[in-house]
Every structure is written in structure tokens, then in C-alpha cells.
Amino acid sequence: MTVTRPARLAGAALCAALVLTAAVWILKDLAALGSPADLAWYWAGDRFFLARGRAATSLVDPVLLVASAAAAVAALRSRHAASALAATGAATLALRLPGLWAPGSGALVTALLELALATGLVLVAAVGRRPAATPYEPLPGRPRTGAAVAAGVLLAVAAAVAAGWELYWASRLPLEATAARFTGGRSVVKAALAPPPGWLAAVLAALYAAAAASALARARHTRAFGLLAGALLAAHGLGGTAGAVRYEVLAHLADLPAVHRADVLTSLFELLAGVAVLVLLAGRGAPAAAPAPYPPAGVPPPPPPHPRPPGW
């Protein structure tokens, strides 16, 4: 299956609109905080030293910006961009949905706009596909077996870890606090555009699990979903690891309580696993099977078999 040229152009335009929306908010936060370093530390979760303002974006925003830009380039360059458009649209839909009930008109308008753009991406990826024009048209390659299995195992472990942490907090927190982790509210401290922490963990666990299943099956869409999952996994781990390095937690890791030690080790695993998934799936895939050769010009087709089978 390939994507028609009008659908590819429409998908690229929708991705460009997503990039522009994210860029406007990031530039607005840079103006409010005054320093890219301060904004980067805010994204990493360190908000205590900031006194000049409060950012509306989170680590999710730059990752979605890069994913949207990459999907736009893929749509313009490749006839097999359906998986990239679908992955970007589905992730944006899932991560922006809580913005519908977030306080603040700016977050609501942004959520409505990005949800509409993401829905358009998914529809373009589904409706804009067409069968190959000829049996000789090449298909997108599958990932190599070793790289796909390794990436699938790492993503499956990451999905289990994310789900395990949410189960742990659900068992430790009151029911109201657990619900607030998924729905947001005044008791949850987060950036205006950021999804609630429980919702984010659930979406990431689902994305990691889906990408792991496609990688282990060596599906043709593994590259798009796996790279997006790897980018989010690495970004999530980078935030926690950066905070641990800033406050020299790694040097006193053995002295920390078990829960805090496990949290730091989880961030390190997510960072390393995310980078490994990106490296494994960014490489060249397995060579596609060679299409059937064209018959030489002027050569008649081969004669029918004799005796002819029933129904020939």
C-alpha cells in the first residue's frame, strides 16, 4: 500500500501546522523564562529555582514537534509515509486529549486545534492509501530480525516498568489522588499543556507495548511507531537522569531509600533503552524481496499447462 500524492501533501501540511503550534508555545515559554537553559531544566522537572515565570510546555512538546517535522519530511519524500502520519496523529491524539478539561482557555484552544489536526493525520493515513499500481512496485522493508527483537524486548520491559510504577502509586495514594493523576486538577502540579502524570504513564505504556509487539512481529510499520516510542522513552528518562545529575543523587545512590533508588534507576534505564531503540530501528532495514522481473519485450506469455487444471 502507498499514499497518494494529494494525501501526502495534506499530511505534510497538517504536520507543519502541528510544528507551528508547538513552536509558538515553546517560543512563548522562552520569552517568559528568558533562558533556554531554564526552560530545559523546567522540562526536566526542576521548577524550584525558577522565579521569572512558569512554562506551559513540557518534555512532550519538543518530542511531538520533532516527530511532526519528521512525519512532514517523510510525507513529502516517500510514498510509504502512512505509518509515520498515523503514528504522529495517534500519539498527538492520546497526549492532547486531557487538554479538553484542563483549566485555562489557551490550553483548551490548543488542545482543540491539535486534536483536529491529529484526527486529520489519522484520516489521511487511512483514506489516502491505495494499492500498488503494479506488482513490481517496491514495498517498505521490514526491520532486521536482531535489531527488531532487541528493540521489542527493550520496549516491552519499558511498558511493564511504566505500568508497574502506576500500580505502585495507586496502591500507596488515596483514591482521590490516584484519580487526579489521570484527570488532573489543582492537586496536580504540572505545566499547562502537559498531560496528567498518570495519563502520560498510561499512554506511554500503551505506546511502548504496541511498538514492542510490532517490532517482535517485524511489521512494516515498526520503524515509525518504534522510533516515536524510543524518542519519548529517551526523553522521559533524560528528564529524571538530568535531575539526578544536577543534585548529585547518583553519587549517593546507595544511601537513598529503596523507592527513590528505584526511581533513579528507572530514569537511567529509560534513557539508555530509549537511545538503544533509536539506534536499533534507525538503521537500514532488511532488504526487500526482489519483485518479479518484467517479461522481455515482444516475448509471448508462456503456454497454459497441459493437461489444464479444473476451472482454468
Side-chain angles (χ1 to χ4, degrees):
M1 299 293 286
T2 60
V3 184
T4 62
R5 181 172 177 80
R8 288 163 51 199
L9 294 176
L14 292 171
C15 288
L18 286 173
V19 170
L20 180 61
T21 303
V24 167
W25 276 102
I26 291 174
L27 291 175
K28 183 174 180 293
D29 285 345
L30 279 174
L33 299 180
S35 167
D38 285 355
L39 180 58
W41 283 116
Y42 191 98
W43 286 345
D46 186 357
R47 301 176 175 85
F48 299 104
F49 73 102
L50 296 175
R52 293 187 295 276
R54 180 176 179 180
T57 56
S58 66
L59 266 177
V60 169
D61 295 273
V63 175
L64 288 181
L65 185 151
V66 173
S68 300
V73 173
L76 293 175
R77 297 184 58 183
S78 174
R79 292 172 295 176
H80 306 295
S83 56
L85 297 176
T88 303
T92 303
L93 274 173
L95 292 171
R96 292 309 192 199
L97 191 60
L100 294 179
W101 56 82
S105 58
L108 175 60
V109 172
T110 300
L112 289 172
L113 175 60
E114 292 195 334
L115 288 174
L117 294 172
T119 303
L121 277 180
V122 175
L123 290 177
V124 164
V127 178
R129 297 189 304 167
R130 63 167 177 82
T134 68
Y136 310 102
E137 187 171 328
L139 296 174
R142 299 179 184 273
R144 295 184 181 274
T145 302
V149 171
V153 170
L154 289 173
L155 289 170
V157 174
V161 169
W165 272 110
E166 279 311 302
L167 292 175
Y168 169 80
W169 289 120
S171 66
R172 300 285 293 182
L173 296 175
L175 181 60
E176 295 80 5
T178 301
R181 285 179 57 82
F182 288 87
T183 61
R186 298 184 182 276
S187 61
V188 177
V189 179
K190 67 178 187 65
L193 297 180
W199 184 282
L200 176 61
V203 170
L204 292 181
L207 177 61
Y208 300 158
S214 64
L216 293 175
R218 295 185 64 230
R220 298 188 188 277
H221 58 269
T222 296
R223 185 185 181 93
F225 283 89
L227 289 177
L228 179 57
L232 286 168
L233 179 62
H236 197 262
L238 178 61
T241 304
V245 172
R246 179 180 178 84
Y247 292 105
E248 301 180 353
V249 174
L250 293 177
H252 306 89
L253 188 62
D255 301 328
L256 295 176
V259 175
H260 298 291
R261 191 185 315 128
D263 185 48
V264 174
L265 293 177
T266 297
S267 296
L268 283 171
F269 164 75
E270 289 177 336
L271 175 59
L272 297 176
V275 172
V277 169
L278 292 175
V279 172
L280 289 168
L281 297 182
R284 188 180 298 274
Y294 284 97
V299 176
H306 182 78
R308 298 184 182 185
W312 181 269

